[in-house]
Amino acid sequence: MENDISTILSQFPFEGKLIEIQPINEGLINTTLVADFGEKKYVIQKINTNVFKNPDNLMDNIVSVTEYLKKSIEAEGGNADRQTLRFLKTVDGKPFYIDEDGECWRSYVYLDNSYTISSGCSLDEIYEAARAFGKFQYLLGDFPGNELFETIPNFHHTPTRYDNLMKAVEENKAGRLDEVQEEINFFKDRKHNTSVVTSLLKSGELPVRVTHNDTKINNVLFDGDTKKAICVIDLDTIMPGSSLYDFGDGIRTSATFGEEDDEENIGLNVEAFEAYVKGFLDGTDGKLFPKEIELLPFSVILLTQEVAMRFLTDYLDGDVYFKTSFDKHNLVRTRAQIKLIKDVESKMPQLIEITKAACRRS
Ligand code: GN1
Ligand code: MG
């Protein structure tokens, strides 16, 4: 890699002399490195083109969204260098470099004195993460969503995710079907959940917004001194969608005990749910419609069910999509997420009450 990496590094106008380069082992899709050039650090990412089949359009989305955010942040008197990502053009003026193996590489400026969290955040950090994702949506409120390319078609179309699971069951590519009957039945019993949001979007009862669509807690950067959320990262899936996708997935990964594959400890932290609701309502600043607010608690089930079905589909297909760290990782993730769904279902009346109370306050 070291040899190849020097060719890749030479394609970007980095300032300074390379001191070291380190991988970041977060994220289940792209490969991420941080290159320390002394004065400045840069993030270098290999785009997973198995997942993102059209990197040209993907980078067009990211460039137009980050440029738009920069203007909006500056108009509010904010610091755009710290509150949104700044992608570098290659020495040839392109948004990414294609190496001789056809791999696509991009780079953005690393934000100094920042950190990410993958689990175990404080209530303040949870509030902050939610506020940041809500604000992100708020700032993109007037962004022309129809100009965005759909980087992964049907990404949050949960009925399609269900159909994909059923197809994987039928094909049984990796011969693992026998061991997952209980999990399949769990999803069959909850098929009715899958179309709730897509139907309301179609009928116009829920608004289509420009959303982040991958609001995992580790996609927020926090400031090392203030512990405030400063910037939202991982912009590959910005597409038209529902605020409920961002809320539900945010709760799934931040308002919970244990990581997403921690079958033993996973569960919904009700206090953290409350902090997240407040943060999201503050970030979106009165822009959410009553129907969206009403469905906030349900969205936690929906988004958890969706990703759980995706993990199981990938397990049945032979682990071809998500990065895995051990043999049955996708199955363990599925089981942990099922446990989380059951826990959220049992706490639903409480979550509805908390959401109502948070609305009265805001
Ligand atoms: C992937 O790359 P990362 O880890 O931020 C995935 C999300 C899943 C998540 C599950 C493009 O996100 O949709 O919710 O893993 N991203 C893509 O951990 O599929
Ligand atoms: Mg990520």
Side-chain angles (χ1 to χ4, degrees):
M1 186 103 168
E2 278 301 322
N3 269 342
D4 303 335
I5 214 70
S6 59
T7 316
I8 292 153
L9 295 179
S10 69
Q11 303 301 315
F12 292 92
F14 297 131
E15 291 166 29
K17 194 173 175 313
L18 181 67
I19 297 172
E20 64 165 355
I21 191 153
Q22 294 278 355
I24 298 194
N25 295 320
E26 289 205 37
L28 305 189
I29 307 296
N30 296 317
T31 303
T32 308
L33 308 162
V34 173
D36 184 350
F37 278 80
E39 290 279 291
K40 269 192 178 160
K41 289 182 185 168
Y42 300 90
V43 174
I44 298 159
Q45 258 184 335
K46 183 168 82 178
I47 303 171
N48 181 334
T49 47
N50 178 38
V51 169
F52 299 106
K53 311 235 182 256
N54 192 328
D56 276 300
N57 289 338
L58 168 81
M59 288 310 293
D60 282 353
N61 277 4
I62 292 184
V63 169
S64 55
V65 165
T66 48
E67 279 173 3
Y68 185 94
L69 285 172
K70 183 175 185 306
K71 284 191 203 128
S72 312
I73 292 164
E74 281 168 356
E76 282 198 339
N79 175 359
D81 280 343
R82 209 148 167 78
Q83 291 167 249
T84 187
L85 296 181
R86 188 158 65 81
F87 283 81
L88 270 68
K89 288 217 162 81
T90 67
V91 288
D92 295 331
K94 306 262 167 51
F96 63 97
Y97 165 67
I98 308 178
D99 72 14
E100 50 192 25
D101 301 325
E103 303 284 9
C104 300
W105 298 85
R106 67 181 171 205
S107 178
Y108 59 85
V109 179
Y110 178 91
L111 295 188
D112 263 335
N113 192 21
S114 66
Y115 66 98
T116 57
I117 314 172
S118 56
S119 74
C121 8
S122 70
L123 290 179
D124 285 344
E125 285 166 331
I126 288 167
Y127 169 87
E128 275 296 310
R131 194 191 46 76
F133 281 123
K135 180 78 189 241
F136 182 82
Q137 214 171 89
Y138 174 89
L139 288 173
L140 292 172
D142 292 324
F143 185 92
N146 54 359
E147 286 176 14
L148 289 174
F149 173 77
E150 204 178 359
T151 55
I152 302 181
N154 292 323
F155 191 59
H156 282 306
H157 196 273
T158 323
T160 302
R161 296 296 189 180
Y162 182 88
D163 293 345
N164 291 346
L165 174 61
M166 291 305 132
K167 189 163 163 260
V169 167
E170 221 164 86
E171 293 178 349
N172 191 16
K173 279 187 197 150
R176 292 167 161 177
L177 186 58
D178 286 348
E179 72 187 298
V180 298
Q181 284 311 322
E182 210 179 299
E183 287 76 18
I184 307 281
N185 289 336
F186 179 88
F187 295 122
K188 284 188 174 163
D189 288 346
R190 286 161 182 76
K191 185 181 177 194
H192 55 274
N193 286 338
T194 62
S195 57
V196 172
V197 169
T198 48
S199 303
L200 294 170
L201 286 170
K202 205 167 171 199
S203 67
E205 286 163 86
L206 278 174
V208 176
R209 301 182 185 278
V210 173
T211 45
H212 181 281
N213 296 309
D214 187 6
T215 50
K216 266 166 91 163
I217 183 72
N218 67 7
N219 287 332
V220 180
L221 294 181
F222 292 86
D223 185 284
D225 295 328
T226 64
K227 314 278 186 259
K228 300 265 181 220
I230 41 175
C231 183
V232 162
I233 60 170
D234 212 344
L235 308 177
D236 297 320
T237 51
I238 297 172
M239 288 180 275
S242 167
S243 56
L244 294 164
Y245 302 152
D246 284 1
F247 180 85
D249 211 39
I251 294 285
R252 180 184 80 77
T253 55
S254 46
T256 43
F257 302 108
E259 303 228 9
E260 69 179 353
D261 56 358
D262 185 350
E263 203 187 342
E264 201 177 321
N265 297 306
I266 205 162
L268 184 80
N269 177 344
V270 173
E271 266 190 304
F273 175 89
E274 183 174 9
Y276 202 96
V277 174
K278 287 180 178 165
F280 202 72
L281 290 174
D282 287 351
T284 47
D285 202 11
K287 288 273 187 265
L288 293 185
F289 290 6
K291 194 72 189 167
E292 292 173 292
I293 295 173
E294 181 194 320
L295 287 171
L296 290 176
F298 168 75
S299 74
V300 183
I301 293 183
L302 179 70
L303 271 288
T304 310
Q305 182 173 336
E306 182 183 287
V307 82
M309 294 192 301
R310 292 174 62 198
F311 288 143
L312 187 56
T313 304
D314 199 30
Y315 185 68
L316 287 167
D317 286 347
D319 308 319
V320 291
Y321 185 93
F322 295 107
K323 283 185 201 163
T324 51
S325 311
F326 53 89
D327 205 20
K328 290 181 190 275
H329 203 164
N330 273 317
L331 180 58
V332 170
R333 286 173 178 144
T334 309
R335 290 185 173 152
Q337 295 296 302
I338 286 180
K339 189 170 169 204
L340 178 59
I341 295 169
K342 289 181 182 163
D343 193 42
V344 176
E345 285 173 345
S346 74
K347 292 173 177 163
M348 197 43 76
Q350 248 179 305
L351 306 186
I352 292 170
E353 277 318 306
I354 289 171
T355 307
K356 284 185 185 155
C359 277
R360 283 195 293 272
R361 149 203 170 276
S362 70

